Amino acid sequence: MTSSFTIHDAAGYEQLMGRWSRMLAPRFIDFAGLADGERVLDVGCGTGSLTFTLAAAADLAEVTAIDFSPVFVAAATRRNSDPRITIRQADACTLPFEDSVFDRAMALLVLHFVPEADKAIAEMARVVRTDGVVAAAVWDHYGGMPGMRMMVDTVAGLSEAGRQLRARYCFQPMMQLGEMKRAFVEQGLANVTETELMVRMDYQSFDDFWAPIAAGEGPLGKYVAGLDTAERTRVDEAVRDAYQAGRPDGPRSFANVAWACRGTVH
């Protein structure tokens, strides 16, 4: 499996998204459910936002976390001091586990970066026991992330390459209303439910917002890193102007919505 998410440095990812996924994780767990004594699989664990929240949320027997990126696996492993947690590198589309070995499989902010997301859903269902739960959440890039739309709409107004970035960003897999629910049903899951989860992203300044993207992290950072010097300067200035919106630089807050879906194995 390839991934469309660009990661260079775990600390950069934490500033870009990890701090927000930690806020989203408890809401996702409330929706997906959890019970003492369960064995839970975290698919695409990143730096461990969901992994460590799961371990704190219930008296679980085991949390197994996998990620495709060795950078993420190393970062999460360094953070781990819980003997119930195992972290390893693996492919979401070919999970290295026997059938029906977990009570739940969860994927937080992952499926939109998996080119064959249907395969990942099928694999999650395969490794979960009958009546167990499969759950996933992805950001609503098109209608639910105004802070990031601010950036992509700004660059879309500057060049054709920016318009192409916006088209890719807004229509990644599993992001449209009902899309993930249909995929869960098509992979044989029952009792499929979809909802919205919301958190706020609060930035202290433009640099707090822009630094990880400017450093090349994530799909937006990959675009910025590929610009020549003149275009990079133009983009930096235009996005700063959009962030500040005619006021002095400083804190800004954006509401952000994720689609969440769960189903049971039968």
Side-chain angles (χ1 to χ4, degrees):
M1 177 198 75
T2 57
S3 171
S4 59
F5 191 88
T6 303
I7 174 67
H8 300 291
D9 177 71
Y13 170 81
E14 280 293 302
Q15 187 176 3
L16 176 69
M17 195 54 63
R19 52 181 167 169
W20 315 125
S21 59
R22 283 197 299 276
M23 293 173 59
L24 186 61
R27 292 165 171 80
F28 179 50
I29 292 170
D30 286 346
F31 170 70
L34 200 62
D36 290 349
E38 290 188 333
R39 303 178 69 201
V40 181
L41 175 64
D42 178 3
V43 176
C45 64
T47 52
S49 295
L50 178 60
T51 306
F52 299 115
T53 306
L54 283 166
D59 185 15
L60 300 176
E62 175 186 315
V63 179
T64 300
I66 67 104
D67 202 280
F68 191 68
S69 166
V71 175
F72 281 148
V73 171
T77 299
R78 285 193 297 270
R79 290 181 58 194
N80 184 34
S81 60
D82 191 327
R84 298 173 300 164
I85 297 174
T86 302
I87 303 164
R88 60 186 288 186
Q89 186 177 9
D91 184 340
C93 293
T94 315
L95 293 172
F97 308 110
E98 299 295 326
D99 295 355
S100 307
V101 293
F102 296 101
D103 298 291
R104 298 177 198 265
M106 303 185 189
L108 179 63
L109 306 181
V110 174
L111 291 184
H112 50 313
F113 294 116
V114 180
E116 297 178 294
D118 289 346
K119 285 188 177 181
I121 296 167
E123 277 292 275
M124 292 168 71
R126 178 185 64 80
V127 301
V128 169
R129 62 169 173 80
T130 300
D131 295 327
V133 172
V134 173
V138 301
W139 290 123
D140 175 9
H141 280 185
Y142 182 86
M145 295 197 77
M148 297 305 169
R149 277 299 301 266
M150 175 185 70
M151 183 267 183
V152 297
D153 287 340
T154 297
V155 300
L158 298 178
S159 68
E160 175 59 29
R163 286 188 286 276
Q164 293 174 11
L165 169 70
R166 180 171 62 183
R168 292 192 303 272
Y169 183 79
C170 288
F171 295 101
Q172 287 179 249
M174 302 292 120
M175 286 189 171
Q176 305 312 302
L177 175 64
E179 184 180 4
M180 193 159 44
K181 183 176 182 178
R182 288 192 298 272
F184 272 46
V185 171
E186 289 168 0
Q187 297 308 317
L189 290 160
N191 307 312
V192 178
T193 303
E194 187 176 65
T195 193
E196 301 173 14
L197 307 173
M198 194 273 282
V199 298
R200 296 198 71 91
M201 294 184 180
D202 297 318
Y203 298 97
Q204 296 306 304
S205 65
F206 174 69
D207 286 343
D208 188 29
F209 169 82
W210 190 238
I213 298 173
E217 298 297 343
L220 303 184
K222 182 179 179 180
Y223 171 81
V224 171
L227 300 174
D228 63 33
T229 301
E231 187 65 12
R232 170 66 180 271
T233 298
R234 193 160 75 116
V235 165
D236 287 353
E237 291 175 351
V239 178
R240 178 184 291 275
D241 182 65
Y243 177 91
Q244 294 178 351
R247 296 290 183 91
D249 192 14
R252 302 290 191 272
S253 182
F254 302 93
N256 290 269
V257 174
W259 297 118
C261 193
R262 70 169 181 244
T264 55
V265 177
H266 66 96

